[in-house]
């Protein structure tokens, strides 16, 4: 109801200003407006919208809230356009005004929704700058080479993908960047170690698999921590790599390819699209970062290292906190790479990305890192005025015991094992249900449904939590057909698909739409909220808002489905109800797609 609420806001603003012309012009003279504070109703019994402005206006207007509310209502009642949309406003409590939309207005909204593929969500006209479209850059997933992807990367991948989908739906060009950890000391250690224990891995593709690589990395790390000469050799190897020594470079490429192939398997299973631009990509730009920081007088030499002292952030003993950008041995680090990346991403020349908004999806543990990096980027003037730079942090994935998610033997859980288990459990649930219902289905059907439900459950369990809270990973809960789960939403769609098969999804002319039951009106009101929810997710970067909405929509639909007849009722109600079913299906499907979750016709 974005458009409608805009119209209403304008009418109410005008009513308030006509009721208090002097105060209104005084406010305007000060560059402000009197604010009627119109918000969606907090409870359905309050109607559709509430005007809350009378209370805070009481003091400046020197009248009681009720008097102010009465004056606003009197103005509104003289406006025929307003009375076309709303029933006569009701003053409640000390001076709130409740607005209830007229049925005719709701039916109009529904009939335009029925023929709108975008379901009321406005599409942003691409902003052209220098003839180019400024993209939204989302940095997500970003696992590390020679390490397994863990559940933290899974969260980043799922949340990042969903945000990217919302921006794409709104009409933005989105750059989905995979900032993989493919550079730095770890390669020095790994190459040095492999030269001794598995030299073939450095010259032949596919010589070892990722599992082995991870084990080798662990051994290398241990040697690095314990053995001085190994440390020295590793550092020399890093220098070789950074100066592009062909043998070191070849070994590095092979190792990256190996990990990349494994990562890709996960992305394929999750249907995630990413452009890989790892840390190594920014290697040629690191020196410029240091140069530029020097020019801008931000660099300080501290204990042999080049650093920037962060404002408003203190470390031990309240001393200002330095962010090291060039180590005393001349090496660069994670932060330097991120600084180079910000510069590159906001660079408006043909060499850069010219980003409009730059979003990082990582665990909350990196909040300080990003706060520091963002601060330096701001102080170095790399962030254009119109642009936005945001960290989207998320909490931990915990086991059912409330501790960090681990396997029974205490290892970190591998993503592919986790997805396999979700699918296996979905399959046994399904087989049980088929048996109970006496249904016979093909093996292809069982495989397809189990895969879809298993992956959907994992994704939805993650997205439906407020991303900042830690959440407990529970297969039982996420696969349940009850509650705020993927199977519950998928099942609502299956019900509608069943109705469509039986009743046909007939077209209906707008003037034929007729509703007479409360369950219909509450479903209608729920359906009309979709556009606002999407715009809110785009603004606040919280996919759980969309999940909550889809859950409430499914609940509202299920009440409608359970409590009133749909196929066995007279026209024009039958057609009208089927039209609501179709719109519910379209809204649920679009919403699920924006979460990166495919839907089913039968399950
Ligand atoms: N590779 C990092 C990790 O696994 C995440 C990188 C996030 N992106 C960035 N630009 N720093 O923790």
């Amino acid at each position: 109801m974005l458009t409608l609420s805009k119209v209403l806001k304008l009418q109410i603003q005008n009513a308030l200003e006509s009721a208090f012309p002097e105060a209104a012009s005084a406010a305007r003279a000060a560059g402000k407006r009197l604010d009627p504070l119109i918000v969606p109703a907090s409870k359905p019994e309050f109607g559709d919208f509430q005007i809350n402005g009378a209370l805070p206006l009481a003091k400046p207007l020197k009248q009681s809230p009720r008097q102010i509310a009465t004056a606003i209502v009197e103005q509104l009642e003289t406006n025929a356009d307003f009375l076309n949309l709303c029933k006569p406003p009701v003053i409640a409590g000390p001076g709130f005004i409740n607005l209830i939309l007229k049925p005719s207005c709701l039916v109009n909204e529904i009939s335009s929704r029925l023929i709108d593929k975008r379901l009321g969500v406005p599409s942003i006209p691409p902003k052209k700058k220098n003839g180019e479209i400024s993209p939204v850059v989302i940095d997500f997933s970003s696992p590390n080479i020679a390490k397994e992807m863990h559940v933290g990367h899974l969260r980043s991948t799922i949340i990042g993908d969903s945000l990217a989908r919302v921006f794409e739906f709104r009409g933005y060009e989105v750059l989905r960047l995979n900032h993989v950890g493919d550079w730095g000391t770890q390669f020095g250690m790994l190459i040095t170690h492999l030269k001794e224990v598995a030299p073939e891995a450095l010259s032949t593709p596919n010589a070892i698999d990722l599992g082995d690589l991870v084990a080798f990395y662990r051994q290398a790390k241990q040697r690095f921590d314990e053995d001085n000469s190994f440390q020295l050799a590793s550092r020399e190897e890093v220098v070789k790599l950074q100066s592009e020594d062909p043998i070191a470079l070849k070994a590095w490429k092979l190792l990256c390819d190996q990990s990349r192939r494994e990562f890709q398997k996960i992305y394929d299973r999750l249907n995630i699209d990413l452009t890989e631009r790892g840390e190594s990509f920014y290697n040629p730009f690191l020196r410029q970062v240091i140069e530029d920081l020097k020019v801008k007088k931000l660099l300080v030499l501290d204990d042999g290292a080049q650093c920037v002292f962060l404002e408003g952030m203190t470390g031990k003993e309240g001393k200002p906190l330095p962010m090291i950008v060039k180590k005393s041995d001349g090496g660069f680090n994670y932060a330097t790479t991120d600084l180079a990346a910000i510069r590159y991403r906001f660079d408006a020349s043909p060499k850069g990305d010219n980003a409009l908004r730059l979003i990082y999806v990582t665990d909350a543990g990196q909040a300080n890192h990003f706060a520091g990096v963002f601060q330096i980027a701001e102080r170095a003037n790399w962030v254009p005025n119109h642009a936005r730079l945001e960290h989207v942090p998320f909490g931990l994935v915990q086991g059912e015991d409330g501790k960090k998610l681990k396997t029974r033997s205490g290892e970190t859980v591998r993503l592919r094992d986790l997805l396999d288990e979700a699918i296996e459990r979905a399959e046994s649930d399904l087989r049980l249900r088929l048996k109970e219902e006496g249904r016979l289905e093909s093996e292809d059907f069982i495989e397809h449904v189990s895969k879809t439900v298993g992956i959907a459950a994992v994704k939805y369990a993650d997205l439906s939590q407020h991303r900042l809270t830690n959440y407990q990973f529970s297969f039982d809960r996420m696969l349940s057909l009850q509650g705020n789960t993927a199977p519950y939403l998928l099942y609502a769609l299956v019900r509608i698909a069943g109705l469509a098969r039986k009743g046909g999804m007939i077209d209906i002319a707008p003037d034929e739409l007729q509703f007479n039951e409360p369950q219909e009106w509450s479903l209608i009101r729920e359906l009309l909220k979709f556009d606002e929810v999407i715009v809110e997710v785009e603004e606040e970067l919280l996919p759980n808002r969309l999940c909550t909405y889809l859950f409430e929509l499914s609940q509202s639909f299920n009440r409608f489905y359970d409590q009133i007849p749909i196929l066995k009722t007279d026209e024009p109600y039958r057609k009208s109800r089927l039209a609501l079913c179709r719109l519910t299906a379209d809204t649920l499907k679009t919403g699920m797609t924006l979460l990166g979750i495919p839907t089913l016709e039968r399950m």
Side-chain angles (χ1 to χ4, degrees):
M1 285 197 280
L2 278 170
T3 320
L4 181 66
S5 50
K6 253 193 212 142
V7 170
L8 279 175
K9 272 186 190 154
L10 202 70
Q11 291 175 344
I12 295 162
Q13 177 84 51
N14 289 340
L16 173 62
E17 293 182 349
S18 324
F20 302 97
E22 278 160 35
S25 49
R28 275 176 191 259
K32 290 190 213 135
R33 300 284 292 268
L34 296 182
D35 192 351
L37 293 179
I38 148 162
V39 294
S42 56
K43 285 189 189 151
E45 51 273 32
F46 296 160
D48 294 290
F49 296 99
Q50 274 167 248
I51 305 175
N52 293 342
L55 286 91
L57 282 171
K59 227 181 176 176
L61 295 179
K62 296 195 183 74
Q63 291 195 22
S64 77
R66 266 198 104 84
Q67 282 172 318
I68 298 171
T70 312
I72 299 174
V73 170
E74 275 167 11
Q75 286 295 327
L76 285 173
E77 282 179 338
T78 64
N79 182 345
D81 290 337
F82 173 82
L83 292 176
N84 258 335
L85 302 176
C86 284
K87 294 184 180 170
V90 187
I91 301 177
F96 300 108
I97 306 171
N98 294 338
L99 300 181
I100 301 176
L101 292 169
K102 282 189 165 169
S104 58
C105 170
L106 290 168
V107 173
N108 271 339
E109 291 285 308
I110 283 292
S111 66
S112 46
R113 214 35 97 77
L114 280 167
I115 50 165
D116 177 10
K117 278 212 164 58
R118 299 193 50 82
L119 302 169
V121 179
S123 135
I124 290 285
K127 291 213 175 68
K128 296 211 172 184
K129 220 187 137 204
N130 313 334
E132 272 180 46
I133 300 166
S134 304
V136 172
V137 175
I138 310 187
D139 176 319
F140 68 104
S141 191
S142 310
N144 300 314
I145 299 288
K147 295 189 193 168
E148 291 272 4
M149 237 189 198
H150 54 69
V151 278
H153 295 122
L154 179 69
R155 281 208 93 174
S156 173
T157 307
I158 294 173
I159 297 172
D161 176 58
S162 163
L163 294 177
R165 285 167 183 267
V166 169
F167 281 100
E168 283 154 357
F169 186 62
R170 286 278 278 141
Y172 291 99
E173 186 205 334
V174 178
L175 213 57
R176 302 157 152 261
L177 292 186
N178 199 1
H179 190 86
V180 294
D182 66 352
W183 206 238
T185 4
Q186 80 249 43
F187 286 94
M189 304 177 207
L190 193 58
I191 293 175
T192 311
H193 184 56
L194 286 175
K195 269 186 176 169
E196 282 175 36
V197 297
E200 68 282 4
L202 301 174
S203 51
T204 336
N206 274 328
I208 47 174
D209 70 33
L210 185 67
D212 296 333
L213 197 57
V214 171
F216 285 133
Y217 176 72
R218 234 180 262 141
Q219 295 159 6
K221 175 86 174 79
Q222 195 177 352
R223 288 182 69 185
F224 186 87
D225 291 340
E226 290 167 358
D227 176 351
N228 267 337
S229 63
F230 184 85
Q231 231 184 64
L232 214 66
S234 301
R235 292 201 198 283
E236 275 167 23
E237 207 56 60
V238 178
V239 175
K240 275 193 202 159
L241 182 62
Q242 293 187 337
S243 54
E244 305 192 358
D245 169 81
I247 298 176
L249 218 53
K250 181 172 177 200
W252 169 74
K253 269 216 174 82
L254 283 174
L255 298 176
C256 290
D257 280 344
Q258 189 64 43
S259 291
R260 191 173 291 130
R261 261 195 303 276
E262 289 302 315
F263 297 158
Q264 195 53 46
K265 284 186 200 154
I266 301 275
Y267 296 140
D268 288 344
R269 291 180 80 176
L270 295 172
N271 187 23
I272 307 278
D273 193 20
L274 272 155
T275 302
E276 184 181 319
R277 214 199 256 166
E279 293 179 18
S280 63
F281 177 89
Y282 301 97
N283 192 40
F285 310 110
L286 298 175
R287 264 164 249 284
Q288 293 164 20
V289 166
I290 308 295
E291 280 306 304
D292 204 16
L293 291 175
K294 199 178 285 166
V295 171
K296 299 197 167 129
K297 302 209 167 15
L298 294 171
L299 273 195
V300 178
L301 196 66
D302 188 53
D303 226 357
Q306 301 274 12
C307 2
V308 179
F309 279 92
L310 298 171
E311 288 169 353
M313 292 189 214
T314 45
K316 280 179 229 132
E317 298 154 17
K319 283 199 191 136
L321 201 68
M323 185 163 247
I324 298 177
V325 290
K326 193 172 179 183
K327 294 185 276 191
S328 51
D329 66 5
F332 303 104
N333 56 25
Y334 185 52
T336 328
T337 305
D338 263 324
L339 289 170
I342 293 188
R343 243 179 130 231
Y344 189 94
R345 291 166 182 180
F346 280 131
D347 182 358
S349 82
K351 278 186 248 143
D353 292 329
N354 188 22
L356 184 71
R357 199 166 167 179
L358 173 48
I359 294 166
Y360 295 82
V361 188
T362 80
D363 62 288
Q366 300 199 36
N368 285 339
H369 164 75
F370 284 108
V373 166
F374 290 179
Q375 185 193 105
I376 298 176
E378 296 279 0
R379 284 163 66 195
N381 254 323
W382 297 334
V383 189
N385 286 334
H386 64 274
R388 287 169 77 168
L389 179 55
E390 289 151 296
H391 181 215
V392 171
F394 52 78
L396 295 176
V397 183
Q398 301 170 321
E400 285 181 78
D401 54 3
K403 298 203 188 104
K404 206 170 166 190
L405 189 67
K406 289 265 161 70
T407 61
R408 262 187 220 103
S409 54
E411 308 268 308
T412 33
V413 178
R414 288 193 309 182
L415 284 194
R416 68 181 133 123
D417 297 340
L418 190 139
L419 298 179
D420 285 344
E421 183 164 352
I423 294 168
E424 274 162 29
R425 288 188 185 231
E427 183 179 329
S428 51
D429 286 0
L430 174 62
R431 288 192 191 273
L432 198 71
R433 194 157 46 82
L434 292 178
K435 208 165 153 197
E436 279 168 9
E437 292 172 7
R439 274 164 66 192
L440 217 62
E441 298 285 358
S442 72
E443 283 304 307
D444 280 353
F445 173 87
I446 293 176
E447 192 191 323
H448 175 66
V449 173
S450 317
K451 267 193 187 152
T452 310
V453 172
I455 302 280
V458 171
K459 285 192 178 186
Y460 191 83
D462 196 315
L463 292 167
S464 58
Q465 300 293 320
H466 189 293
R467 58 175 162 72
L468 277 175
T469 52
N470 300 340
Y471 84 93
Q472 284 184 7
F473 194 94
S474 156
F475 284 116
D476 286 338
R477 214 173 319 133
M478 70 177 72
L479 285 164
S480 165
L481 270 166
Q482 297 308 323
N484 188 6
T485 65
Y488 181 80
L489 302 194
L490 289 172
Y491 195 66
L493 272 167
V494 165
R495 280 183 144 182
I496 301 174
L499 281 174
R501 280 193 296 274
K502 284 186 223 131
M505 280 287 138
I506 11 161
D507 278 329
I508 181 161
D511 58 355
E512 286 180 289
L513 284 173
Q514 240 186 84
F515 305 107
N516 63 350
E517 297 287 352
Q519 292 88 341
E520 293 171 322
W521 293 115
S522 46
L523 179 57
I524 287 170
R525 289 191 153 93
E526 214 44 58
L527 284 165
L528 292 176
K529 287 181 194 162
F530 183 68
D531 50 354
E532 278 168 52
V533 172
I534 297 303
V535 172
E536 198 179 288
V537 174
E538 176 197 324
E539 191 49 38
E540 298 177 1
L541 309 175
L542 289 173
N544 65 301
R545 293 278 158 81
L546 176 55
C547 297
T548 306
Y549 167 74
L550 295 175
F551 177 52
E552 285 171 359
L553 175 62
S554 309
Q555 285 181 308
S556 180
F557 171 78
N558 283 334
R559 276 191 293 271
F560 160 93
Y561 180 94
D562 290 334
Q563 295 170 7
I564 60 173
I566 297 169
L567 293 172
K568 294 196 181 91
T569 189
D570 298 332
E571 297 296 5
Y573 299 111
R574 186 175 184 275
K575 266 187 175 184
S576 303
R577 288 174 193 175
L578 282 171
L580 287 187
C581 292
R582 176 165 71 75
L583 188 57
T584 305
D586 289 347
T587 309
L588 280 175
K589 261 190 219 158
T590 307
M592 297 288 266
T593 307
L594 294 179
L595 298 173
I597 299 177
T599 56
L600 293 162
E601 294 278 304
R602 298 196 311 122
M603 69 189 268

